[in-house]
Amino acid sequence: MAITSSAVQCLVCGVLFLSVHLAEGDLRYSFPEEMRRGSVVGNIAKDLSLEVSKLSARKARIDTEGSDKHYFDIDIRNGDLVVSDRLDREGLCGDKASSCILVYELLVENPLELHRLSLQVQDINDNEPIFPKDIIKLEISESTDKGARYRINAAHDADIGQNAVQSYDLQQNPNFVLNVQTSPGRKYGELVLDKELDREEQQELRIILTAVDGGSPPRSGTVVIHVTVLDANDNAPVFTEAVYSARLPENSALKTPVITVSASDKDEGINGEVTYEFSRLSDKSQSLFSLDSKTGEMIVTGKIDYEDRARFEVFVEAKDGYGLSSEAKVIIDIIDVNDNAPVIYVKSLSNPIPENMSPNTEVGIINVQDRDSGNNRQVSCSIQENVPFKLVPSIKNYYSLVTTGQLDRELVSDYNITIIATDQGSPPLSSSKIIQLSVADINDNPPVFEEQSYSAYVSENNKPGSSLCTVSARDPDWRQNGTVIYSLLPGEVNGASVSSYLSVNGDTGVIHAVRSFDYEQFRSFKVQVMARDNGSPPLSSNVTVSVFISDVNDNSPQILYPAPEGSSFMTELVPKAAHGGSLVSKVIAVDADSGQNAWLSYHIVKATDPGLFSIDLHSGEIRTQRDISESDSMKQNLIVAVKDNGQPSLSATCSMYLLISDNLAEVPELKDISFDEKNSKLTSYLIIALVSVSTFFLTFIIIILGVRFCRRRKPRLLFDGAVAIPGAYLPPSYADVDGTGTLRSTYNYDAYLTTGSRTSDFKFVSSYNDNTLPADQTLKKSPTDFADVFGLNDSSPQVGILPAMFLRLRFEINLIMINICFASSHIETYDSVFKAVCRFLRCV
């Protein structure tokens, strides 16, 4: 009989009742089966006094033991326990006539709480009574007396209680009435013969028997009773026992004997032949057991699983040849075997975990279940690997996974934790589960440079933007914590910001030159490079980078003496009596470079008489190679080249004019020089200058003589007449770099002219090394500073202020006179003047 949906809803509303009692933290709810999905069973948060707002954060969830089927969920928004799947009491609890209780667990974390939920499923009338067979065949002898009883197998209703079979209704007929009998747990009917049968009148009857349950509305099932009228058979089979008991280990092999039932019939012949069959057996039991109809032996035909069902109740019917029967119950208890290994469930896991997590911190919750029973169900859990984690037993079969030591992602970034669960069965079974945990990085490592310091070498005149070296730092942290950024620390190099000299690539650490370097300005400097990671807060470290600038041959030699062409007109007098090897003059040059780039060599590239003079390769001294003869030209011109030792070599040239004569008046070539108006004017100017200087000298003669007579001894003059290097010829910032010897000595050339017009005493050259020009005194020297080196310092103990000035002026006069002689074409006109001035200077 069908039941409408509105009727079911009314029934649910009528049957539903909620009984909640809090005992040792457990809840019990009672509700009808077949509730719709989403139906509310009860409010767990209210009944357990849990805060609804924290259910989500505490990961509240419903868990069950040994079952993957989930029938209930918790609504974390309001704490309601709701139905999530169809609930069929008959499918869940089978033939249990008492209560159908489902056990669940409510798991709440932080802190961990476990509440037991006992959910009782109430039966509703959703199943109609069903007879074992559609047709019940009875063979009744016509000689049967009135009142004979025939047992009719009870109709089976899957429902229980009031919803089970409550009554039977027999279709009206002239021979039989129905007598309802009640046995523990069920009702069955007996067909009572109310009027004797007459086979000649009617050989068979068809009567409909209806079984009705007590539901609202009621459901019913029918069966056809087919009565065949036979001759007399008045004894039914009788079993040796009313209830048979058997014990069967689970996982028994197929065809394993379970039990043998036996019944006897006092009749003889066909009326005494007994056959056996199952009178009431569920579909699942039919696939597990079979019964031999002749012998009554029951054997195993399917897989027996204790965890699926621990007890079977089977009814066996014994029937004789003409339909008399009796029934016996067979109870089969299944013996548990340790055939289920423990199952490990990860209920909660924090992943990844930070590396600075303190020891004894909970990172996960593990649940271990075993479907077996007794000792087979007792499980121990452990971690086998040498990892900084351990399992701490918690509630029931729950374990907390906690840390045991400090974590370091740079040493181990991932852990594969193998958890092994072993039961106490014989033999024991075990299972394992691998939990993968990742360690989250914390910025706890600063960048570390691969070297303690770096050196970069670059040649001067480098191109701006060229790379000098690469600094590299490693940070073992991860992602941005391990991303290294390079930068220059603020500082100064040679008075300027370091950023105006160098730059560093923030990503690669390549150091570039911002400008071109000059070795002559500075040779090395140091900078600080910082490597910083991108963590929060960032960590950093510094390293020193030393930049060394190497010299390049980029400066040509500079000739200090004689002056370059286009400056003053310089001439040296060489006496006719000079012998071979005599020092005539010296070429003095310097080079601003260093090392071999400043090693100078001297070469005569052109000479009026190539065999007359030679120059020293390293010192630049010009000497005669042989004695001077009368046939040699009086006017000698030498072109000297000065080369450095760089690659490629740089050079400079100068001209050296030499006059082979004891007296300027003896130089015939001077008479041939043409005189023009310009030279005439120059001569006039020079004569005026000479007279002015002479007048200036006369004013100081008396003072000079007075100073000389006052001294106890006559001072020694370092310079008696000079063709020495004038201060004006020295460059303002020249240094003898690295002591290469380009200015090792100073030379004084003293010329002494006699009073005679054609003869003269010429002290050709005197060289001394006690006044060597130091390298550190060549830079930033004023002309007065050079006077110190060349013996012209005012504070000299040998020459006073006035003699020193006199010597310097005397030197200038000599130069003026020589130039007058070369510039004037009328040398005879001025010869008498020249001789007079020379005699005057000689006397002084």
Side-chain angles (χ1 to χ4, degrees):
M1 184 180 296
I3 301 176
T4 63
S5 60
S6 61
V8 173
Q9 293 176 1
C10 293
L11 179 60
V12 170
C13 295
V15 176
L16 177 62
F17 67 93
L18 177 63
S19 60
V20 181
H21 60 273
L22 196 60
E24 299 179 356
D26 294 345
L27 286 179
R28 182 182 294 274
Y29 292 94
S30 187
F31 56 94
E33 66 175 327
E34 301 294 344
M35 293 182 70
R36 291 182 300 177
R37 290 181 176 88
S39 300
V40 178
V41 176
N43 191 288
I44 295 178
K46 179 180 178 182
D47 297 334
L48 293 177
S49 299
L50 299 175
E51 294 184 32
V52 176
S53 59
K54 294 184 178 180
L55 291 179
S56 176
R58 296 183 66 184
K59 301 180 182 179
R61 57 189 179 275
I62 301 298
D63 201 358
T64 183
E65 294 185 356
S67 176
D68 296 332
K69 197 68 174 177
H70 224 66
Y71 294 100
F72 300 92
D73 282 325
I74 183 172
D75 191 344
I76 60 176
R77 297 172 298 180
N78 50 31
D80 288 337
L81 180 65
V82 297
V83 177
S84 62
D85 202 353
R86 177 177 177 267
L87 287 169
D88 183 16
R89 190 202 66 81
E90 291 74 25
L92 293 173
C93 301
D95 298 331
K96 291 183 180 179
S98 57
S99 60
C100 180
I101 298 177
L102 302 179
V103 179
Y104 288 84
E105 293 173 345
L106 172 64
L107 185 64
V108 185
E109 298 181 16
N110 297 322
L112 178 63
E113 294 181 22
L114 187 65
H115 300 277
R116 183 183 180 87
L117 302 179
S118 297
L119 306 177
Q120 183 176 5
V121 182
Q122 297 291 339
D123 181 57
I124 66 172
N125 190 26
D126 59 340
N127 294 283
E128 63 271 5
I130 299 175
F131 286 91
K133 296 182 179 180
D134 295 334
I135 299 176
I136 299 176
K137 295 181 178 181
L138 295 177
E139 296 179 351
I140 303 176
S141 175
E142 61 179 353
S143 61
T144 302
D145 294 337
K146 180 182 178 179
R149 297 174 180 271
Y150 301 92
R151 179 188 176 92
I152 304 300
N153 290 335
H156 174 65
D157 195 333
D159 298 324
I160 62 173
Q162 189 65 27
N163 296 324
V165 177
Q166 299 296 322
S167 62
Y168 292 90
D169 186 20
L170 185 64
Q171 182 183 5
Q172 290 185 354
N173 64 90
N175 300 103
F176 296 93
V177 295
L178 185 66
N179 183 21
V180 178
Q181 297 291 333
T182 301
S183 64
R186 64 195 184 100
K187 291 182 179 182
Y188 64 92
E190 287 183 341
L191 198 61
V192 180
L193 184 62
D194 188 55
K195 180 183 179 182
E196 292 82 3
L197 296 173
D198 188 1
R199 183 178 180 277
E200 286 73 26
E201 183 180 354
Q202 189 176 6
Q203 294 184 357
E204 59 181 15
L205 291 83
R206 289 183 178 271
I207 307 170
I208 297 176
L209 177 63
T210 302
V212 182
D213 61 22
S216 178
R219 292 174 176 263
S220 62
T222 61
V223 66
V224 176
I225 302 176
H226 185 200
V227 180
T228 302
V229 181
L230 299 174
D231 288 333
N233 180 23
D234 55 355
N235 289 289
V238 178
F239 282 97
T240 57
E241 298 180 21
V243 177
Y244 291 88
S245 298
R247 292 173 60 83
L248 180 67
E250 67 172 327
N251 300 326
S252 295
L254 299 180
K255 297 183 180 181
T256 299
V258 179
I259 196 174
T260 300
V261 298
S262 177
S264 59
D265 195 320
K266 294 181 180 181
D267 295 328
E268 294 180 355
I270 192 173
N271 294 328
E273 293 181 358
V274 179
T275 59
Y276 304 94
E277 63 181 20
F278 292 120
S279 63
R280 187 176 64 177
L281 192 65
S282 64
D283 293 339
K284 188 171 185 179
S285 298
Q286 288 179 2
S287 64
L288 299 178
F289 304 102
S290 67
L291 180 65
D292 192 307
S293 60
K294 298 296 184 182
T295 63
E297 182 183 28
M298 184 184 297
I299 62 175
V300 176
T301 58
K303 183 179 180 180
I304 307 299
D305 190 356
Y306 173 86
E307 289 71 37
D308 188 17
R309 193 167 180 178
R311 170 177 281 201
F312 292 91
E313 293 183 358
V314 180
F315 292 90
V316 179
E317 182 183 24
K319 183 187 295 186
D320 60 19
Y322 288 101
L324 297 180
S325 63
S326 61
E327 188 178 66
K329 179 189 288 189
V330 178
I331 298 175
I332 305 172
D333 291 320
I334 306 301
I335 302 173
D336 182 40
V337 175
N338 190 26
D339 61 339
N340 290 281
V343 181
I344 303 172
Y345 298 97
V346 180
K347 297 299 184 181
S348 177
L349 185 65
S350 299
N351 195 17
I353 56 178
E355 62 177 321
N356 62 347
M357 178 176 287
S358 59
N360 297 320
T361 301
E362 182 181 86
V363 297
I365 298 176
I366 309 299
N367 176 243
V368 182
Q369 297 181 9
D370 195 314
R371 297 180 61 193
D372 295 323
S373 63
N375 290 336
N376 297 332
R377 188 182 179 87
Q378 301 301 317
V379 179
S380 60
C381 204
S382 63
I383 296 178
Q384 296 297 323
E385 290 87 353
N386 184 21
V387 293
F389 300 93
K390 67 178 179 179
L391 288 176
V392 177
S394 184
I395 303 173
K396 201 178 177 182
N397 50 357
Y398 284 87
Y399 295 84
S400 295
L401 180 64
V402 300
T403 58
T404 60
Q406 191 66 42
L407 304 177
D408 190 349
R409 191 204 69 83
E410 287 69 44
L411 295 178
V412 181
S413 59
D414 295 281
Y415 290 94
N416 290 326
I417 305 172
T418 302
I419 299 177
I420 299 178
T422 306
D423 61 26
Q424 296 182 10
S426 181
L429 298 178
S430 62
S431 62
S432 62
K433 189 176 187 66
I434 298 177
I435 298 177
Q436 293 183 342
L437 274 179
S438 298
V439 182
D441 183 51
I442 300 297
N443 190 26
D444 56 348
N445 291 281
V448 177
F449 284 94
E450 294 182 352
E451 299 181 17
Q452 293 182 352
S453 62
Y454 290 84
S455 297
Y457 299 90
V458 59
S459 299
E460 64 173 330
N461 304 324
N462 58 294
K463 293 183 178 179
S466 60
S467 60
L468 304 184
C469 69
T470 301
V471 296
S472 179
R474 296 289 181 266
D475 194 321
D477 292 324
W478 195 45
R479 289 187 176 174
Q480 73 263 16
N481 293 334
T483 301
V484 179
I485 301 173
Y486 303 93
S487 62
L488 289 175
L489 289 179
E492 291 188 354
V493 175
N494 206 26
S497 174
V498 65
S499 60
S500 64
Y501 288 89
L502 299 177
S503 66
V504 61
N505 189 302
D507 297 326
T508 63
V510 178
I511 297 178
H512 298 274
V514 176
R515 63 167 64 175
S516 179
F517 300 129
D518 189 355
Y519 177 86
E520 286 70 41
Q521 291 184 358
F522 54 90
R523 303 182 180 183
S524 65
F525 60 91
K526 294 182 179 181
V527 297
Q528 292 285 326
V529 178
M530 179 180 69
R532 175 181 58 85
D533 59 30
N534 207 21
S536 179
L539 301 177
S540 64
S541 60
N542 303 333
V543 72
T544 300
V545 179
S546 300
V547 180
F548 297 95
I549 304 171
S550 59
D551 184 46
V552 174
N553 190 28
D554 59 343
N555 291 282
S556 300
Q558 185 167 354
I559 300 174
L560 303 182
Y561 183 83
E565 294 184 6
S567 182
S568 305
F569 184 78
M570 300 297 297
T571 305
E572 297 282 358
L573 291 178
V574 180
K576 294 180 180 180
H579 299 286
S582 298
L583 180 62
V584 174
S585 183
K586 179 178 180 178
V587 176
I588 301 176
V590 293
D591 196 312
D593 294 321
S594 65
Q596 65 177 8
N597 295 328
W599 296 349
L600 302 181
S601 59
Y602 302 85
H603 309 272
I604 296 177
V605 297
K606 186 177 181 182
T608 303
D609 189 349
L612 182 57
F613 298 100
S614 66
I615 189 169
D616 188 270
L617 180 64
H618 300 294
S619 65
E621 294 179 347
I622 300 175
R623 297 179 182 271
T624 56
Q625 296 187 70
R626 57 180 174 80
D627 295 342
I628 296 176
S629 62
E630 293 294 334
S631 62
D632 292 328
S633 173
M634 297 182 65
K635 186 176 181 181
Q636 298 287 332
N637 184 15
L638 303 180
I639 298 178
V640 178
V642 183
K643 296 182 180 180
D644 59 26
N645 199 33
Q647 293 295 331
S649 177
L650 300 178
S651 63
T653 59
C654 66
S655 296
M656 178 69 72
Y657 299 96
L658 303 177
L659 292 177
I660 302 176
S661 174
D662 293 332
N663 194 321
L664 290 177
E666 298 177 355
V667 182
E669 289 82 355
L670 297 178
K671 299 178 181 180
D672 299 334
I673 300 177
S674 62
F675 177 79
D676 56 12
E677 183 181 357
K678 181 178 179 180
N679 291 335
S680 176
K681 292 181 180 181
L682 177 61
T683 304
S684 300
Y685 295 151
L686 292 176
I687 293 174
I688 294 172
L690 178 61
V691 173
S692 298
V693 172
S694 300
T695 304
F696 177 76
F697 282 154
L698 290 176
T699 59
F700 286 97
I701 289 176
I702 299 174
I703 299 174
I704 294 172
L705 295 176
V707 172
R708 286 191 174 185
F709 284 118
C710 289
R711 294 182 180 274
R712 293 184 179 181
R713 61 183 181 87
K714 183 178 180 179
R716 179 177 62 89
L717 298 181
L718 296 180
F719 292 83
D720 191 12
V723 191
I725 303 172
Y729 293 158
L730 294 175
S733 299
Y734 249 86
D736 183 12
V737 182
D738 287 345
T740 55
T742 58
L743 289 177
R744 290 296 183 184
S745 304
T746 57
Y747 292 86
N748 295 305
Y749 304 93
D750 298 338
Y752 296 95
L753 302 178
T754 62
T755 56
S757 60
R758 294 297 181 182
T759 62
S760 64
D761 296 332
F762 188 82
K763 182 180 179 182
F764 186 60
V765 175
S766 64
S767 175
Y768 50 92
N769 297 325
D770 54 342
N771 287 330
T772 302
L773 183 61
D776 58 351
Q777 294 180 357
T778 58
L779 289 177
K780 301 182 179 179
K781 293 290 184 178
S782 64
T784 58
D785 294 329
F786 282 100
D788 295 341
V789 178
F790 286 99
L792 299 178
N793 194 295
D794 294 344
S795 61
S796 172
Q798 298 175 349
V799 181
I801 253 180
L802 295 177
M805 293 176 60
F806 175 75
L807 290 176
R808 180 61 182 266
L809 291 173
R810 180 180 174 184
F811 172 76
E812 294 294 339
I813 291 173
N814 283 333
L815 292 179
I816 292 172
M817 292 303 300
I818 293 172
N819 282 280
I820 289 174
C821 294
F822 278 96
S824 175
S825 61
H826 300 280
I827 192 169
E828 292 295 338
T829 304
Y830 301 104
D831 183 58
S832 59
V833 177
F834 178 78
K835 290 180 180 180
V837 173
C838 289
R839 284 194 298 269
F840 168 76
L841 294 177
R842 179 72 174 177
C843 293
V844 175

